Amino acid sequence: MSKKRGILVWSLLGLATIVLLVSSLTVWAKRQLLDDQAWADSSSQLLANDEVRGAIAQKLSDGLFQRIDVEAQLRERLPKRSQGAAAALAAALQNTIGPQAADRLLQRPRVQALWENANKRAHAAVIRVLEGKELGRNGNISTANGEVTLDLRPAITRLATRLGVEDKLKANTDPNAGQLVIMKSSQLSAAQTAVKILKALSSLLLILVVALYALAIYLAHGRRRLLLGATGASLLLVGLVIAFLRNFLGGVIVDALVKTEANKQPVRVIWALETSVMRDIAIILVVYGVLVLLATVLAGPNRPAVTVRGWLAPAFRHHPIIVWTAVLFLFLILLAFGPKAGSRELLGVVILAATTAVGIEALRRQTLREFPEGSPPAAGKTPRAT
């Protein structure tokens, strides 16, 4: 390559690496944060975790005692000589019995199904707000005063019924008690813009990444195997960077949001579950990067690689159908048992299948040129110039 072409090729590779990192993050956001079913599934996993469920139960119990004067209701029901114990009983309900009852309530299959459906509906409503669409009728989400709010009062009412206390509000109760502000009006416009950008770029960036890698390899005439290996290293690097960011940002976000050490573990669990797709993307990129590097070594002039190609030559020449069937079988295994993110959608499967087919065909042609009909596949054979 000339010096100018070399600069262009390596610049394209660097740009592809940066775009791949951005594309991976947009895929994570679209596949996990903006997908209703993915959000519902992760919410079910959160509720199955003891620490997270305990935190939710405590939140419901606190909301109950913010809205209902439990002590006054107990005093009304207790005999006169026992009314002095109403405060102690109310404290026990708030600190121990209430959270335990809420936790048992959240473990019931029917309640868990309601929880998943409620989260799915609430997430769909939030996405409609972020997309600038009409919210429609939704009993759990509101956008009053420009704020996106989740109403937990129906769940608090269920807990009150379970504990045997009437849903009688305190005289001076906050009308917003039991409501959780998801997004403030100052954040809504920026979030809506971000969602539009994510939806527009997620697929385009993936296509751009493939185009940049392919163009860099195509322009590297005479050094294409080197650029193929650099592409594998690029995939590996981005996968490792994403894994690092997931762990690093998790610690920063937990420390920023939670000041009490005892409450940090549930938030760590939430972060781990809500970034599981990011973890899968990192694993996929590392695995594919390693496979590309291995393919680069296999296509190289080193003695073990030449020997392997010599062994493969008869199969490439006389049994191509068997070779392609084996490749298809391994490809399907990778899709079926690999991480769930990344290659499940049609575009990802098509791109991955196309690049795999191109790589196998290039290796087959190289092998047949090096080992023509009748030549012995001797170990250490010097390959012909390609």
Side-chain angles (χ1 to χ4, degrees):
M1 289 189 298
S2 65
K3 185 176 181 180
K4 290 183 178 180
R5 176 170 288 202
I7 293 175
L8 175 60
V9 165
W10 290 108
S11 298
L12 289 173
L13 184 69
L15 179 60
T17 303
I18 296 172
V19 175
L20 176 61
L21 176 61
V22 176
S23 174
S24 300
L25 296 177
T26 60
V27 168
W28 160 64
K30 182 179 179 182
R31 294 287 304 277
Q32 187 153 28
L33 300 184
L34 301 182
D35 184 85
D36 295 340
Q37 189 57 52
W39 185 269
D41 293 341
S42 62
S43 68
S44 298
Q45 296 176 37
L46 288 174
L47 199 60
N49 182 274
D50 293 340
E51 294 172 320
V52 176
R53 189 177 61 251
I56 296 173
Q58 185 65 55
K59 184 71 175 178
L60 290 178
S61 179
D62 293 343
L64 171 68
F65 282 84
Q66 288 176 8
R67 290 179 54 80
I68 301 174
D69 192 345
V70 176
E71 181 179 347
Q73 294 190 45
L74 289 175
R75 189 176 288 109
E76 292 177 1
R77 298 183 181 186
L78 290 172
K80 289 186 178 181
R81 58 184 179 183
S82 302
Q83 288 180 354
L89 290 174
L93 278 173
Q94 182 172 5
N95 299 323
T96 306
I97 301 175
Q100 290 178 354
D103 187 271
R104 288 193 297 271
L105 181 67
L106 293 172
Q107 291 184 49
R108 299 177 63 181
R110 183 179 177 183
V111 174
Q112 290 180 349
L114 291 173
W115 167 270
E116 180 177 346
N117 292 332
N119 271 275
K120 188 174 182 178
R121 292 195 303 270
H123 184 266
V126 171
I127 296 301
R128 289 186 65 84
V129 171
L130 293 178
E131 291 176 345
K133 300 177 181 178
E134 292 294 331
L135 185 60
R137 298 183 62 185
N138 190 297
N140 298 96
I141 295 288
S142 69
T143 54
N145 301 320
E147 295 180 344
V148 181
T149 305
L150 176 64
D151 191 359
L152 298 178
R153 288 175 295 186
I156 293 174
T157 301
R158 282 177 173 267
L159 179 60
T161 302
R162 186 175 181 85
L163 289 176
V165 293
E166 299 173 1
D167 191 13
K168 184 185 297 183
L169 299 181
K170 293 180 179 179
N172 58 347
T173 186
D174 183 356
N176 295 322
Q179 292 183 317
L180 181 64
V181 176
I182 301 174
M183 190 175 302
K184 296 182 179 180
S185 56
S186 59
Q187 303 167 326
L188 186 56
S189 177
Q192 288 175 333
T193 302
V195 167
K196 292 178 182 178
I197 293 174
L198 280 174
K199 293 206 166 188
L201 292 183
S202 58
S203 297
L204 293 177
L205 287 179
L206 182 59
I207 296 174
L208 179 60
V209 167
V210 176
L212 288 172
Y213 279 132
L215 183 59
I217 294 173
Y218 174 76
L219 292 176
H221 186 67
R223 307 295 296 276
R224 287 174 180 167
R225 192 174 66 84
L226 174 62
L227 261 295
L228 181 63
T231 299
S234 172
L235 296 175
L236 179 61
L237 173 64
V238 173
L240 295 176
V241 168
I242 291 175
F244 169 77
L245 286 177
R246 179 174 180 256
N247 293 330
F248 174 74
L249 291 178
V252 171
I253 290 174
V254 169
D255 292 337
L257 293 179
V258 185
K259 303 304 180 183
T260 305
E261 187 64 33
N263 296 332
K264 288 185 176 181
Q265 184 56 30
V267 181
R268 291 191 186 101
V269 174
I270 293 172
W271 172 260
L273 286 174
E274 296 302 336
T275 57
S276 60
V277 171
M278 187 187 296
R279 176 204 60 204
D280 290 349
I281 291 173
I283 294 174
I284 288 171
L285 291 176
V286 169
V287 171
Y288 290 168
V290 170
L291 290 177
V292 171
L293 288 173
L294 290 177
T296 305
V297 172
L298 183 59
N302 58 86
R303 180 174 296 182
V306 174
T307 301
V308 171
R309 293 199 297 273
W311 291 339
L312 293 174
F316 280 144
R317 179 175 295 108
H318 301 295
H319 306 288
I321 295 179
I322 296 178
V323 172
W324 285 108
T325 301
V327 171
L328 177 61
F329 180 72
L330 294 175
F331 181 78
L332 293 177
I333 288 179
L334 181 62
L335 287 181
F337 296 100
K340 294 181 179 180
S343 60
R344 290 300 199 271
E345 291 190 351
L346 180 60
L347 179 61
V349 172
V350 170
I351 292 176
L352 182 59
T355 52
T356 302
V358 169
I360 296 297
E361 180 61 18
L363 179 64
R364 187 186 73 85
R365 293 186 179 187
Q366 176 185 348
T367 302
L368 295 181
R369 286 196 302 267
E370 292 173 354
F371 299 95
E373 183 73 34
S375 63
K381 174 182 174 69
T382 302
R384 296 183 177 186
T386 57

